[in-house]
Each structure stands twice: as structure tokens, then as C-alpha cells.
Amino acid sequence: MKRRTAFPEEQFLNHCSNGCCTLQWKDFRIQLTGSVVALGAMLAFTTAMFAQTNNPSGVTQTPAAAPAASPVLSHDMSGVWMPYSINMDGIDEKLRPPLTPWGQARFDASAPLVGPRAVAGKENNPALNCEPEAVPKSLILPNPFEIIQIPGRMFMFFEQYHLWRTVWADGRPLPKDPDPTYLGYSVGKWEGDTFVVDTVGMNDKPWIDSYGNPRSEQMHLTERYRRLDHDTLEMQIIMEDPKAYTKPWVNPPQRFKLEPAWEIAEFFCIVDEEDSYGDAVRKPAGVPAAPK
């Protein structure tokens, strides 16, 4: 099994310079594709020459049957997926619509780990108390998730904090008055090659990103998934929350890479470990250095 290190958000941000770094994928697919194309051209040329040599003059050859179509991959999203980049850009803070008075008050009360408002040692991200990140934030964090599809249902298993989520795909409608939860109630359906997930019934406890932007119980989250090729999954996040934002928040698509050799690792949030890390690293980072 391929091994890698998973980071809680605050450890990852301290590990990377300026809270942001890019995964460098070692990908041999370009070379492999070029080799396959060259080999195919050689085989086609050899076949044509053989046909010309062995075909009596004036005899018409019957064209070979067309090869069978390749299997359709667009409706199969199963596998372990990891972001191409770990900039958490599936939610673009620069595209945030204006906040409502309620949303502005919640935003002003947040003390994030990153961004211009971050003050080391003063953060109040709910995740520091081991509260679930939930959606949509769990979808953009620099840790993998696994999709498993069965008839009428899709499961999403997030490595961070070992969250798991059900997306119903059996034709049921969204509930009219769901009880608010961290992950909400999700239903999905196919629109051509795009799997559209709608989620309602979320509580207002987690942030939607690392910058402290809020969500309310009126949030309607839409995710649009497309499998672009065997190794690439595209996801777009759209949020409508009239209590927190004056307009829908439409984000650009984010891409994920299939990691067939990975397994979801054990990654739990332990309060004592979070407190130890905060006392040893996070909080001291906000203390000015003593004058020399």
C-alpha cells in the first residue's frame, strides 16, 4: 500500500510555507500515452503494407468491423481521490458574495488559521476542539476521500476525522424540514455525465472554509461531479445561504486525482493531542520574540 502522511489543517499549514504548497505528482502517463500512440501508428502501417502485399490486384477488401466502444466511465466515481493541489481552492474566498448582517457578525467573530486575519495562537476554528469539519469544507481539505457506489446510494469516506457521508441516489426528494446536522441530508442524481448532489438540513456550527466564512441552517449546498477521464474527477461547489450571503456563491471546479494504491488511513481527532500541539507549537507562534 502506498504510504503518505496526512495532516490536520493547522499542522499542514505550519508544515507548508505561507500556508500553501503544491503537490508534485510523479506521473508517467504522458510518456506512456506517447509510446502507445507511436506503437499504434507502427502497427497500422504494418497492417496496411501487409494488406497491399497479399491482396490480389483488383480484389475489393471488406472493411474490418469497427472496434467495440470503450466502457463508459462517467457514471463510475468509485475510488480514493486526492486534490491535484492542496491550496484548498475548491472554495474561492475571493468570489464570496456580500455577507448579510448575520453573516458579517459571524465572520467577524471568527479567528482563522490562515489569511490576513490570522493571529497565531488566537485561533478559534471549531475543528481545534475536534468538531467535525463537515461539508463543504471536508471536500476541499488536503486529505483524501473515498467514494463507494451501490445501487441507489453513494458513500463518501473522508480520511480526516474518519467522517462518512451518505448521498441517496434512489430518486427520493430532499426532505421538507430536516433536523439540522453537521453533514445535512444529501440526495444525488445524474444529469448526463454530471452527478449533482443537493444537501440541506445542515447546522450552523462548522465554517465552510479555512477563512472563517460561516454557514447557516438555511444553506443549500450543490456539488457537481464529472469524471473527466480514468484518473481525473472534477467537482464544483455552489452555495445558496440567504441568511449568511446576499447571493449564491459559485466556485470554479476543483480536480482530484485517482490514487488506486491508497487506502484511507486512521485519522481521528484527539482532544489531548490537539491541546498538546496548540500549547507546544500554535500558541507560542503568536508570542512576540523577546528583545535581544
Side-chain angles (χ1 to χ4, degrees), residues 9-85:
E9 182 182 356
E10 69 275 13
Q11 295 184 36
F12 166 77
L13 293 170
N14 279 277
H15 175 77
C16 296
S17 173
N18 298 323
C20 174
C21 61
T22 304
L23 291 177
Q24 301 296 322
W25 303 108
K26 293 183 179 180
D27 194 340
F28 64 91
R29 287 176 292 158
I30 295 177
Q31 292 89 340
L32 178 60
T33 301
S35 299
V36 170
V37 171
L39 179 59
M42 291 173 62
L43 289 175
F45 178 78
T46 303
T47 302
M49 292 297 295
F50 180 83
Q52 292 177 10
T53 303
N54 293 276
N55 180 31
S57 177
V59 177
T60 302
Q61 293 288 324
T62 302
S70 300
V72 176
L73 295 175
S74 62
H75 284 199
D76 180 11
M77 301 184 295
S78 300
V80 176
W81 299 96
M82 183 73 185
Y84 274 144
S85 77

Side-chain angles (χ1 to χ4, degrees), residues 21-155:
C21 61
T22 304
L23 291 177
Q24 301 296 322
W25 303 108
K26 293 183 179 180
D27 194 340
F28 64 91
R29 287 176 292 158
I30 295 177
Q31 292 89 340
L32 178 60
T33 301
S35 299
V36 170
V37 171
L39 179 59
M42 291 173 62
L43 289 175
F45 178 78
T46 303
T47 302
M49 292 297 295
F50 180 83
Q52 292 177 10
T53 303
N54 293 276
N55 180 31
S57 177
V59 177
T60 302
Q61 293 288 324
T62 302
S70 300
V72 176
L73 295 175
S74 62
H75 284 199
D76 180 11
M77 301 184 295
S78 300
V80 176
W81 299 96
M82 183 73 185
Y84 274 144
S85 77
I86 47 180
N87 297 332
M88 295 177 278
D89 52 4
I91 297 176
D92 191 340
E93 211 265 346
K94 299 182 182 64
L95 298 178
R96 185 194 70 191
L99 292 155
T100 64
W102 181 92
Q104 187 68 57
R106 293 294 292 265
F107 179 76
D108 292 342
S110 65
L113 288 159
V114 297
R117 300 189 305 125
V119 178
K122 304 297 183 182
E123 305 92 340
N124 62 2
N125 188 330
L128 296 175
N129 298 319
C130 290
E131 294 186 25
E133 299 279 20
V135 291
K137 189 177 179 183
S138 291
L139 297 166
I140 63 168
L141 290 175
N143 291 291
F145 60 80
E146 182 173 12
I147 292 177
I148 297 176
Q149 291 175 254
I150 63 173
R153 195 183 309 189
M154 182 178 84
F155 296 103

Side-chain angles (χ1 to χ4, degrees), residues 4-7 142-146 157-163 262-268:
R4 76 268 182 266
T5 302
F7 292 96
N143 291 291
F145 60 80
E146 182 173 12
F157 296 92
F158 299 95
E159 183 172 89
Q160 184 166 9
Y161 300 174
H162 250 46
L163 294 177
W262 286 16
E263 295 178 4
I264 296 298
E266 184 176 275
F267 185 173
F268 293 103

